[in-house]
Amino acid sequence: MDEYNCFVDWDKMDVTVQSQDAKDLTCTEFQELKQLARQGYWAKNHSLRAKVYQKLISNIPCRTVTPDANVYRDIVLKIVGKRNSSSLPLPEFVDDSLVPTYCLNAEGIGAVRKIILCIANQFPDISFCPALPSVVALLLHYSKDEAECFEQVCRILACNDPSKRLVDQTFLAFESSCMTFGDLVNKYCQAAHKLMVAVSEDVLEVYSDWQRWLFGELPMVYIARVFDVFLVEGYKVLYRVALAILKFFHKVRAGQPMESDSVQQDIRAFVRDIAKSVSPERLLEKAFAIRLFSRKEIQLLQMANEKALQQKGITVKQKRQNVHLAVHAENFKSEIVSVKEMRDIWSWIPERFALCQPRLLFTTLEHGCSLSRFYSHSEGHEPTLLLIKTTAKEVCGAYLSTDWSERRRGGNKLSFFGTGECFVFRLQPEVERYEWVIIKHPELAMSGSEPENHVSPASSTLSSSSVPSDPSDRLSPFLSARHFNLPSKTASMFMAGSSECIIIGGGDGQALYLDADLNHGRTSHCNTFNNQPLCSESFQISVLEVWGFRD
């Protein structure tokens, strides 16, 4: 262990890694490496972890010309000179990030700054990389010298495998990852998300801290365990662990008053002191218990968020728009919901659309109760928001991810379409958002005028010509089913429309059905989780509104 301890303050280090023996790692199969990483196999011995890191990082596919240890030795004196390393200024792209010391000694703390400055010299294309100080500081614990640490970090930064995302190096990539994390929280941590909405003016501002929780606030023993798995499995692991942190924060702090005026500060403090609540093993166990989207789906969601930011012109760091207040009180008027209620709905929608303003497209008070008029005003807009107020003063609605013009694919038949981002919700008498489910029983919606054999799910297989050439337009089946050649078993069944009726599949067994005259509706409810129904089983519509999203 002597060759890897020159930067380590062993008084701060976990003593268990000094004494436990572990065999050398000989496996190369991904599944076995994945299992060993999750189990913490090389976390038991400092020297073994150093060797494993070296092996894993050396296998990262990189650019042809990637700076190595010899480059560092050549440039470090020219860049650093005789300046005191502990006071060296950091490049702007780390964005005043925390420079964690973890278990480094004084020499190691100074070396972190030297290495970062040399990396900045060799990677002029990096414009925003707040995780870099933490990555350098962590790897320095497991490096023989500064040059070796420099080379390992450079290989991570120079990875050229398009399917292997490692560290964000631009503001666009970072900001889109924050939006993606917000989308994942909205789906997988709904209780925590509800708390964030209640205590924070800008939810995305809170979620933009997610990388700081990992690369800055997490104690050494935790981030090292996360990094073990990250080097094997990639970026998705970071989302998993951040979601687990938020789940534990909500569990520990639920019902307790905030310790400061800022939930951001409270989460940071919780993560710094996470050892009081959760062990590293329990944190990872929770992280891997989350049934997350596939790596491809997350990548495509991130691409969609990047595209939304580019369309808004948000590609470099700037003063953040208060996304949660995107619904401006002076420009918003609805006969169904208040500004506050619309802001609550806005906190549920995908982050890339939360950048937009609501725009009223259709209201029965102005346009009448005609289904054909409903379609004519709604078509050409994607996504849309449906709001309904009943004569019993119940208020419910649905977020609809797909253009209603898709219904024409089935001709005169009742055709199903839409994506997994659809959801239904209730605002009155109580607020409840229902996670989506596929419409499993379309026959529930059949009226006497619509024979059963006219029910036709969305197309079984889309033609290859429908797949756009631009990969940034290509969304996952969760996001946009029409962009993929899908077999019938994965055909989307979240929305349905014909000249006779509208059906919207909700979550937890909820489904909403509206008659052609838009005066009457009904719901089906399977009591999957004993949730309250969306609204009365049969209801009269007082007002119906459709809202679009304006840039």
Side-chain angles (χ1 to χ4, degrees):
M1 192 161 55
D2 291 345
E3 59 183 342
Y4 297 109
N5 73 352
C6 58
F7 300 113
V8 177
D9 183 341
W10 285 102
D11 291 333
K12 300 177 184 176
M13 200 74 169
D14 182 3
V15 295
T16 59
V17 302
Q18 302 180 49
S19 56
Q20 294 193 40
D21 293 327
K23 298 178 181 178
D24 286 343
L25 188 71
T26 57
C27 72
T28 56
E29 292 296 324
F30 173 75
Q31 287 300 330
E32 190 176 355
L33 278 172
K34 177 178 171 180
Q35 184 177 8
L36 292 175
R38 292 188 180 191
Q39 292 172 350
Y41 180 82
W42 49 85
K44 301 171 183 177
N45 181 280
H46 185 86
S47 181
L48 177 60
R49 178 181 261 158
K51 292 173 182 177
V52 172
Y53 279 4
Q54 191 172 35
K55 180 177 180 179
L56 293 174
I57 293 172
S58 67
N59 288 331
I60 294 175
C62 294
R63 304 170 192 168
T64 305
V65 180
T66 298
D68 59 14
N70 289 328
V71 170
Y72 182 81
R73 297 184 185 102
D74 289 341
I75 66 174
V76 64
L77 287 178
K78 300 173 188 174
I79 294 172
V80 176
K82 297 181 179 179
R83 290 179 291 176
N84 185 337
S85 59
S86 61
S87 60
L88 289 172
L90 291 175
E92 288 186 8
F93 65 66
V94 300
D95 190 40
D96 299 324
S97 301
L98 291 176
V99 183
T101 59
Y102 296 132
C103 301
L104 294 174
N105 55 25
E107 184 183 358
I109 293 170
V112 170
R113 290 178 174 267
K114 291 165 62 178
I115 294 168
I116 291 173
L117 283 178
C118 290
I119 288 171
N121 174 267
Q122 294 294 302
F123 289 84
D125 52 334
I126 295 180
S127 59
F128 197 80
C129 192
L132 186 60
S134 173
V135 173
V136 172
L138 178 63
L139 286 176
L140 202 54
H141 292 75
Y142 303 99
S143 302
K144 296 175 183 177
D145 54 31
E146 295 172 15
E148 182 178 273
C149 180
F150 170 85
E151 179 175 326
Q152 290 185 338
V153 178
C154 286
R155 290 194 65 83
I156 291 173
L157 295 173
C159 174
N160 63 359
D161 182 348
S163 67
K164 196 177 183 71
R165 182 191 181 125
L166 293 177
V167 178
D168 294 330
Q169 299 174 45
T170 66
F171 182 73
L172 181 63
F174 171 81
E175 190 74 353
S176 63
S177 78
C178 296
M179 293 170 65
T180 302
F181 180 69
D183 289 327
L184 296 176
V185 173
N186 203 353
K187 180 169 179 61
Y188 294 103
C189 306
Q190 291 186 18
H193 182 65
K194 190 174 182 180
L195 174 63
M196 298 303 111
V197 172
V199 301
S200 172
E201 282 194 346
D202 188 352
V203 179
L204 185 54
E205 186 77 36
V206 176
Y207 296 153
S208 292
D209 245 13
W210 80 278
Q211 288 196 26
R212 177 176 173 144
W213 303 342
L214 306 177
F215 297 113
E217 304 292 1
L218 267 184
M220 169 71 185
V221 66
Y222 289 77
I223 186 58
R225 286 295 307 276
V226 173
F227 208 75
D228 292 347
V229 190
F230 166 72
L231 286 179
V232 176
E233 299 187 40
Y235 201 90
K236 183 178 175 181
V237 170
L238 305 182
Y239 284 132
R240 284 188 176 280
V241 176
L243 289 170
I245 286 173
L246 200 58
K247 282 178 175 286
F248 278 120
F249 173 80
H250 176 260
K251 180 179 180 180
V252 172
R253 297 291 176 84
Q256 298 181 18
M258 292 291 112
E259 295 183 356
S260 70
D261 294 334
S262 165
V263 69
Q264 260 183 308
Q265 297 298 329
D266 278 11
I267 297 176
R268 290 175 184 179
F270 172 79
V271 178
R272 282 195 298 272
D273 297 329
I274 195 169
K276 296 178 180 178
S277 310
V278 185
S279 68
E281 293 74 22
R282 183 73 184 95
L283 178 64
L284 289 177
E285 181 183 328
K286 186 77 167 179
F288 291 112
I290 300 171
R291 298 185 64 182
L292 209 56
F293 298 147
S294 70
R295 185 176 286 102
K296 180 180 179 182
E297 285 178 317
I298 291 176
Q299 182 184 12
L300 292 167
L301 177 57
Q302 179 114 5
M303 290 167 65
N305 285 330
E306 280 192 13
K307 185 174 182 180
L309 288 168
Q310 287 172 323
Q311 290 172 342
K312 288 285 184 180
I314 304 173
T315 57
V316 296
K317 185 169 173 57
Q318 54 192 258
K319 190 177 188 307
R320 180 186 299 281
Q321 173 193 1
N322 195 325
V323 174
H324 186 54
L325 300 182
V327 182
H328 299 312
E330 62 272 17
N331 299 325
F332 177 77
K333 187 177 189 314
S334 168
E335 298 299 324
I336 299 178
V337 297
S338 65
V339 173
K340 180 186 179 303
E341 288 172 324
M342 194 59 138
R343 286 175 178 167
D344 286 342
I345 296 170
W346 233 242
S347 74
W348 298 332
I349 66 176
E351 294 287 358
R352 63 191 183 280
F353 297 116
L355 297 168
C356 302
Q357 292 286 319
R359 172 191 174 193
L360 184 62
L361 302 175
F362 173 86
T363 169
T364 52
L365 294 180
E366 179 181 344
H367 302 107
C369 300
S370 163
L371 185 55
S372 62
R373 207 167 293 154
F374 168 96
Y375 287 139
S376 67
H377 283 268
S378 302
E379 286 175 5
H381 298 274
E382 182 178 292
T384 53
L385 193 68
L386 175 70
L387 298 176
I388 296 171
K389 185 175 185 178
T390 72
T391 53
K393 301 192 183 307
E394 299 166 309
V395 175
C396 63
Y399 171 80
L400 305 170
S401 64
T402 305
D403 191 331
W404 277 106
S405 63
E406 287 287 303
R407 78 188 193 285
R408 293 179 179 154
R409 292 156 57 89
N412 294 324
K413 299 177 182 178
L414 183 65
S415 60
F416 291 85
F417 52 97
T419 76
E421 284 188 316
C422 295
F423 62 86
V424 293
F425 56 86
R426 183 185 68 213
L427 295 176
Q428 298 289 345
E430 295 177 354
V431 177
E432 183 78 49
R433 176 194 166 191
Y434 301 90
E435 192 61 44
W436 65 264
V437 294
I438 292 174
I439 301 173
K440 295 180 179 177
H441 303 289
E443 68 277 3
L444 292 176
M446 299 311 302
S447 63
S449 61
E450 189 81 34
E452 186 171 346
N453 60 6
H454 279 191
V455 179
S456 173
S459 66
S460 299
T461 305
L462 307 185
S463 66
S464 59
S465 61
S466 68
V467 181
S469 58
D470 180 359
S472 66
D473 285 333
R474 215 174 290 157
L475 307 180
S476 72
F478 171 78
L479 297 171
S480 192
R482 70 173 185 272
H483 292 304
F484 279 77
N485 296 321
L486 298 176
S488 58
K489 66 180 181 180
T490 57
S492 297
M493 296 178 66
F494 309 101
M495 305 162 56
S498 71
S499 59
E500 301 292 332
C501 65
I502 286 172
I503 311 172
I504 298 162
D508 298 342
Q510 302 284 354
L512 180 66
Y513 167 77
L514 303 180
D515 286 335
D517 60 8
L518 297 184
N519 280 319
H520 178 262
R522 61 183 182 271
T523 61
S524 65
H525 176 61
C526 299
N527 292 313
T528 310
F529 297 108
N530 296 317
N531 282 328
Q532 293 297 314
L534 188 62
C535 59
S536 301
E537 186 173 343
S538 180
F539 57 86
Q540 295 293 323
I541 297 173
S542 173
V543 187
L544 182 148
E545 294 176 349
V546 179
W547 291 79
F549 293 74
R550 182 181 65 225
D551 290 341

